[in-house]
Amino acid sequence: MQRLDQIFYTWSERSLLGGKGMGPVASSLPVGALAGWDPVLRGRVWAGWQEHDRFGLGYLRGPDGYAVICKRPVTEAEGRQASLAHVLVGREITPLGALALHDWDGWLTAWDGTAELDPLSWEDLRRQCDLARRDLVGRARRLPAATLAELVAFVLAEPEADVSVVAPTESPAELLCALVEITGAMTFSTMESRDDDRGCPRVVFLPDDHDSRMGVPRRRFRFGSGGADPFALALATSYRAEGRAAIDRIRPQTPVTTADEARAWARAAQLAPGVLDDITGLLRRASDLSAAELGALRSKQGLAEARRIVPALEDGALAALLRASGLPEEVSALAQECALRSFLTGRAGEQVLAALAIRPPPARLIGEQLKHAPPLGRVAALARQALPDVRERRDLLDRAARQLSKSELIAWVHDHCRDEPEAAHVALRVICDGQERSAEQRRRALDTLIARGALAEATAELTPSPREAAAYLQSVLTVVAGARIDEPLMASFLARSHPPAHLLYALRAMAGDSRALALADRTAWGQFFTQSGLPAPLGAQPVASRAQPGPADERPAPRAERILLVVFFTSVVALLAVVAIVVTGGPL
């Protein structure tokens, strides 16, 4: 666990090290360690500007690690101008870690002379700093490319020199973040009143220009004073698009510390002036490529790299590549094929599907992917989005459905009849088209059909009328259960509360013997009464509400029940005769 020690500097009559004036007045470090840090910090803790609402953040290397300084000017009670500086020191503080502390709410802004400072744990700050770092990097990537490129070009022209940025047009924290991620680690200060002493960090920001009194060799930079070279502009553009990852792909193995090394990096990292040797980066921002970058993508090397890179692109980059126009035809076709394969195999999601709908692949290309047996749901979603022609769409769905067993199709139709009705309808027709070859497959299909309620709900959802639903059910039952249904199998299909009428109709038409027929009739008759809010007569309950089948269920219906049936149907016939006489106008 990384320990961060704290030091607080301000004016005092006697500091912790015994001196008068600006010095450490509180610290969590032992006196010996504080004495080792003080020579490094003493010249950097003074805030020599007048605006009290502005503070400077510095990052320095010290005798035992790194220091982050937050300093600000104050006016003391006597009217004397003074400074406050809160310092954190630790062994593993990075430049970006220091910048992430820019807006930390733990910086001390006043001193009452009594507070004690304790060591901090980096783990305690990690969450806040991680969020702050992500936010800072996001702001840095939104800097204008031309502005950032100017600064990068100036630094890379003499990487070993110290630089002072005068009157920056953008926030120093964002500029430093981008500069560190592009050119490498460095010490810095976001605000200094002067830069003419030898203890200054490598890059400092000045509110305005001034004459050097001590002749310290530093290069001064003002935005707008000179244009950026093509390499720096390409670096800035790539950084804006992808952040540090884009630079890391072309970064040399060792840090760039001299002008010769910077020029060597530029030569090695460019395919042409202003075109980075980074086909991955070109593919990721394919909708915003220059003519030179498109030329690099069309080259033999560019196309070979594209064939290697495109299959590994994540959803967002692959979708953007599909939407881009003006790309080499081979790259567009490769993107379409990879997107199609990724979606059908389940690796890609809705982003890629939406892009495929904008740039639909031909039915032939989709059909070629069926050899990989993609999930029917994926094929259905793709066909619905990308194939406007009904015949092509249904032919594709038919071919995909025929790769599944009957049991798989039955389960799929039951589960997806509402969200993918067209594909479910096609699958239903495939189910009706011939039996499975093996007995095991037929048994599994029958078990699945019973478990899924004989597809009664699906056929009702997919057909316009009960008559057609019943016809489909008869076809499915014939293929899966056989031409005739005996009583035990009838009981299995009816073992659910309130089977729908079209299922009863289909099952009754397929009853293989009188017992199966009687079971279907009793269920239908009992359901007629229960749906009317009346208790079903004895022997007419639906199968699901009766006791488990036993010997009593195998006997013919009792005589009393047969008499009730005769009375019921005789009453219906008599009522129909009366209605006929009234309609024809005959005598009552």
Side-chain angles (χ1 to χ4, degrees):
M1 182 180 295
Q2 184 181 170
R3 165 177 165 150
L4 297 178
D5 280 292
Q6 303 187 75
I7 311 170
F8 194 82
Y9 277 80
T10 190
W11 194 94
S12 69
E13 291 292 336
R14 182 178 177 81
S15 73
L16 294 177
L17 297 177
K20 179 180 178 180
M22 189 72 177
V25 295
S27 175
S28 62
L29 284 171
V31 173
L34 178 61
W37 272 102
D38 185 62
V40 177
L41 299 174
R42 181 174 293 276
R44 304 267 55 87
V45 294
W46 181 258
W49 55 92
Q50 300 298 317
E51 301 89 342
H52 289 188
D53 60 339
R54 301 181 69 180
F55 68 91
L57 189 80
Y59 175 69
L60 301 172
R61 185 165 188 171
D64 190 26
Y66 298 88
V68 186
I69 306 170
C70 181
K71 60 186 179 180
R72 63 189 74 237
V74 294
T75 301
E76 296 192 345
E78 299 82 2
R80 181 177 57 239
Q81 285 297 117
S83 296
L84 300 177
H86 187 183
V87 183
L88 301 181
V89 297
R91 294 178 181 274
E92 301 175 12
I93 303 175
T94 65
L96 284 185
L99 286 168
L101 291 167
H102 185 273
D103 298 318
W104 179 46
D105 56 11
W107 293 121
L108 298 177
T109 58
W111 180 250
D112 62 5
T114 62
E116 293 186 1
L117 298 180
D118 297 318
L120 300 175
S121 165
W122 180 252
E123 293 301 319
D124 295 337
L125 299 178
R126 182 179 299 279
R127 172 169 295 196
Q128 182 178 349
C129 288
D130 284 349
L131 292 173
R133 181 168 54 247
R134 285 196 292 269
D135 184 58
L136 176 66
V137 169
R139 297 198 307 273
R141 288 178 57 187
R142 292 193 291 272
L143 290 169
T147 299
L148 181 56
E150 266 194 275
L151 181 57
V152 169
F154 189 84
V155 171
L156 288 180
E158 296 183 38
E160 69 278 12
D162 293 335
V163 174
S164 296
V165 182
V166 180
T169 58
E170 303 288 343
S171 164
E174 280 85 6
L175 287 167
L176 281 166
C177 175
L179 192 61
V180 166
E181 294 213 293
I182 293 173
T183 65
M186 62 187 67
T187 58
F188 58 79
S189 176
T190 64
M191 183 76 165
E192 293 289 344
S193 56
R194 303 192 66 85
D195 65 345
D196 51 0
D197 65 317
R198 296 186 181 278
C200 275
R202 182 185 168 201
V203 177
V204 301
F205 286 75
L206 302 173
D208 48 48
D209 214 340
H210 66 87
D211 294 331
S212 175
R213 294 176 300 192
M214 302 178 67
V216 176
R218 294 186 70 88
R219 300 177 68 218
R220 295 266 178 97
F221 169 77
R222 277 183 177 274
F223 285 101
S225 59
D229 61 60
F231 179 54
L233 186 58
L235 290 174
T237 301
S238 292
Y239 178 75
R240 278 172 50 87
E242 290 187 74
R244 182 171 184 162
I247 310 302
D248 285 344
R249 288 196 295 266
I250 59 167
R251 195 188 301 276
Q253 293 183 350
T254 57
V256 175
T257 58
T258 67
D260 287 341
E261 290 174 351
R263 286 189 289 270
W265 181 26
R267 287 192 299 271
Q270 294 182 95
L271 297 171
V275 181
L276 298 182
D277 186 7
D278 179 24
I279 300 302
T280 298
L282 297 183
L283 293 170
R284 288 181 183 279
R285 52 186 183 87
S287 60
D288 186 28
L289 298 182
S290 66
E293 289 171 329
L294 285 171
L297 204 53
R298 290 190 184 95
S299 68
K300 184 177 180 180
Q301 177 187 349
L303 292 175
E305 282 289 288
R307 284 190 287 272
R308 179 183 64 84
I309 294 166
V310 171
L313 290 176
E314 69 276 8
D315 284 15
L318 192 53
L321 188 60
L322 273 174
R323 294 190 180 98
S325 58
L327 295 177
E329 183 57 36
E330 185 174 344
V331 174
S332 295
L334 178 63
Q336 195 176 58
E337 182 179 351
C338 290
L340 180 61
R341 185 183 305 117
S342 293
F343 179 76
L344 288 178
T345 55
R347 294 198 306 271
E350 293 297 321
Q351 272 185 298
V352 171
L353 177 61
L356 285 168
I358 296 172
R359 190 184 179 89
R364 171 195 55 78
L365 185 59
I366 301 176
E368 290 175 0
Q369 298 300 320
L370 294 184
K371 63 185 178 184
H372 302 296
L376 183 55
R378 289 268 162 169
V379 178
L382 179 66
R384 173 166 37 83
Q385 292 274 17
L387 291 181
D389 185 271
V390 175
R391 293 183 62 182
E392 285 186 343
R393 193 165 62 239
R394 292 184 177 174
D395 177 66
L396 178 71
L397 291 170
D398 183 87
R399 292 167 60 192
R402 292 185 185 280
Q403 294 182 318
L404 301 180
S405 66
K406 300 290 185 187
S407 62
E408 292 171 324
L409 284 174
I410 291 167
W412 195 90
V413 169
H414 178 271
D415 295 341
H416 298 281
C417 60
R418 287 184 174 83
D419 56 300
E420 291 290 354
E422 184 178 38
H425 204 282
V426 171
L428 193 60
R429 290 204 304 268
V430 174
I431 293 171
C432 297
D433 187 13
Q435 290 185 330
E436 295 282 27
R437 294 182 179 179
S438 72
E440 175 60 25
Q441 288 176 321
R442 290 195 294 272
R443 184 196 61 76
R444 191 178 298 118
L446 180 59
D447 290 345
T448 305
L449 187 64
I450 293 171
R452 298 302 194 280
L455 291 184
E457 293 178 8
T459 50
E461 184 74 25
L462 298 173
T463 55
S465 68
R467 183 181 294 275
E468 291 188 44
Y472 256 119
L473 276 181
Q474 281 186 246
S475 298
V476 172
L477 289 166
T478 299
V479 168
V480 177
R484 293 296 173 189
I485 297 177
D486 58 18
E487 184 185 20
L489 188 54
M490 181 73 74
S492 297
F493 282 120
L494 292 174
R496 54 175 293 179
S497 59
H498 309 303
H502 64 285
L503 174 59
L504 288 168
Y505 188 92
L507 288 171
R508 190 181 188 284
M510 298 184 65
D513 53 43
S514 60
R515 293 182 178 181
L517 180 63
L519 181 57
D521 284 342
R522 288 201 306 275
T523 303
W525 185 34
Q527 191 161 303
F528 169 79
F529 283 106
T530 55
Q531 289 179 347
S532 302
L534 298 171
L538 184 63
Q541 294 92 342
V543 171
S545 63
R546 301 175 67 190
Q548 291 297 319
D553 293 291
E554 299 175 2
R555 296 193 300 271
R559 183 165 179 255
E561 293 178 17
R562 292 200 297 271
I563 293 172
L564 281 173
L565 281 171
V566 172
V567 171
F568 174 76
F569 286 112
T570 303
S571 300
V572 171
V573 172
L575 181 59
L576 291 174
V578 171
V579 172
I581 292 171
V582 172
V583 171
T584 57
L588 292 175

